């Protein structure tokens, strides 16, 4: 009888231990899931002013909740002069201290510039933006625009709207290439937009191809494209949304054999 009671007690202890272990696993899984749902946050630091030809330091502190994000996939700064988004340039960053990604930038002439940092980390993407005035800033820019206003149309775009086309690498003929676009309105992802790619290969506009992208995450739109011809493709991203939003940007990629 004692042996029987001992066996039953042992079995109950084993069941309790298994249940506790399972509860611990469930708790850990739940905690991990909760952490992953916390959005990443970026504190972008850009000086308000600077001088042409001098180095300007840019900084982005990336966090998730109270945690410093030291494993960001990509942190890159995009810079352009007011009204000239199509002439933007990119600057790579380096992580100087835990979760802080820095870069140096130079501006070759006076004007008002936009600095936008593109941060991809932990399956999320955000792209806050700030302005910097170089030298005489807007005054110099206004003079330049006045001189060229008869020959050039300036597109100012929707206030607070941001677009980032992730240019695919190593695009080859007859191999699917993933196209990805991130959209943001203010500090939030732009959801439920209509995003289409107009693709023209080797300037053959009469053979333009249209591809609809799908939103697989908040503000992230993707789709695959297969090119049948090597050469140069001009990809225009068209975005339409609520309240008359209609924006577009054109990017150029190379297709190899």
């Amino acid at each position: 009888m004692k042996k029987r009671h001992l066996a039953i007690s042992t079995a109950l202890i084993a069941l309790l231990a298994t249940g506790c272990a399972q509860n611990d696993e469930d708790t850990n899984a739940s905690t991990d899931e909760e952490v992953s749902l916390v959005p990443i946050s970026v504190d972008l630091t850009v000086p308000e002013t600077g001088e042409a030809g001098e180095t300007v330091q840019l900084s982005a502190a990336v966090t998730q909740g109270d945690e410093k994000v030291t494993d960001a996939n990509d942190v890159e700064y995009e810079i352009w002069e007011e009204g000239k988004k199509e002439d933007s340039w990119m600057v790579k960053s380096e992580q100087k201290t835990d979760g802080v990604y820095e870069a140096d930038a130079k501006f070759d002439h006076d004007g008002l510039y936009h600095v936008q940092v593109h941060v991809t980390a932990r399956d999320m993407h955000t792209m806050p933006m700030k302005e910097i005035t170089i030298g005489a800033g807007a005054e110099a820019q206004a003079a330049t625009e006045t001189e060229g206003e008869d020959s050039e149309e300036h597109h100012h775009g929707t206030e607070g709207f941001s677009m980032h086309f992730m240019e695919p690498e190593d695009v080859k003929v007859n191999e699917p290439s993933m196209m990805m676009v991130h959209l943001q309105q203010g500090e939030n992802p732009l959801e439920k937009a209509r995003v289409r790619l107009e693709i023209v290969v080797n300037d053959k506009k009469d053979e333009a191809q249209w591809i609809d992208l799908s939103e697989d995450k908040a503000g992230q739109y993707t789709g695959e494209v297969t090119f049948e011809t090597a050469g140069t493709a001009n990809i225009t991203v068209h975005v339409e949304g609520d309240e008359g939003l209609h924006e577009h940007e054109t990017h150029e990629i190379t297709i190899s054999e």
Side-chain angles (χ1 to χ4, degrees), residues 31-48:
T31 301
D32 291 342
E33 185 177 351
E34 289 175 2
V35 170
S36 66
L37 292 176
V38 176
I40 59 173
S41 177
V42 178
D43 183 11
L44 173 62
T45 300
V46 177
E48 293 184 359

Side-chain angles (χ1 to χ4, degrees), residues 23-63:
N23 287 336
D24 288 342
E25 290 177 5
D26 292 342
T27 300
N28 290 336
S30 177
T31 301
D32 291 342
E33 185 177 351
E34 289 175 2
V35 170
S36 66
L37 292 176
V38 176
I40 59 173
S41 177
V42 178
D43 183 11
L44 173 62
T45 300
V46 177
E48 293 184 359
T49 61
E51 296 297 328
E54 294 183 358
T55 298
V56 174
Q57 188 179 77
L58 313 174
S59 175
V62 186
T63 55

Side-chain angles (χ1 to χ4, degrees), residues 165-169 176-180 216 221-225:
F165 175 65
M166 304 285 287
E167 293 194 12
E169 298 180 357
S177 296
M178 178 60 71
M179 303 291 164
M180 181 181 297
D216 50 11
Y221 300 80
T222 60
E224 284 190 345
V225 177

Side-chain angles (χ1 to χ4, degrees), residues 72-231:
N73 301 91
D74 187 49
V75 179
E76 195 170 17
Y77 293 88
E78 182 177 11
I79 305 171
W80 68 92
E81 190 173 2
E82 171 70 17
K84 300 179 181 180
K85 179 69 161 62
E86 68 279 4
D87 296 326
S88 68
W89 69 94
M90 309 298 289
V91 181
K92 285 284 188 181
S93 71
E94 291 185 9
Q95 186 174 182
K96 299 296 186 179
T97 58
D98 285 354
V100 179
Y101 300 80
E102 298 179 357
D104 291 333
K106 280 189 177 182
F107 304 83
D108 59 9
H109 62 270
D110 292 357
L112 175 64
Y113 292 83
H114 299 272
V115 177
Q116 184 171 40
V117 63
H118 297 275
V119 179
T120 302
R122 300 182 179 179
D123 233 13
M124 289 176 274
H125 185 90
T126 188
M127 43 188 179
M129 180 172 61
K130 288 190 175 181
E131 295 179 351
I132 180 172
T133 299
I134 299 298
E139 294 178 7
Q141 182 185 356
T144 302
E145 289 179 356
T146 300
E147 293 173 0
E149 63 184 3
D150 294 333
S151 60
E152 183 178 0
E153 178 183 353
H154 296 280
H155 176 66
H156 295 286
T158 302
E159 184 176 357
F161 173 82
S162 296
M163 179 192 311
H164 185 210
F165 175 65
M166 304 285 287
E167 293 194 12
E169 298 180 357
D170 196 23
V171 179
K172 294 184 178 180
V173 172
N174 296 325
E175 292 185 8
S177 296
M178 178 60 71
M179 303 291 164
M180 181 181 297
V181 177
H182 290 107
L183 303 179
Q184 192 162 305
Q185 185 64 45
E187 296 183 358
N188 301 313
L190 177 60
E191 301 181 65
K192 299 179 180 179
R194 185 188 184 193
V195 183
R196 298 184 298 160
L197 304 182
E198 180 185 5
I199 303 173
V200 176
V201 179
N202 296 329
D203 292 327
K204 296 182 179 179
K205 297 182 179 180
D206 55 335
E207 299 178 10
Q209 180 183 10
W210 289 84
I211 301 293
D212 289 316
L213 301 187
S214 300
E215 185 176 13
D216 50 11
K217 295 177 186 176
Q220 177 176 293
Y221 300 80
T222 60
E224 284 190 345
V225 177
T226 300
F227 298 94
E228 299 178 353
T229 307

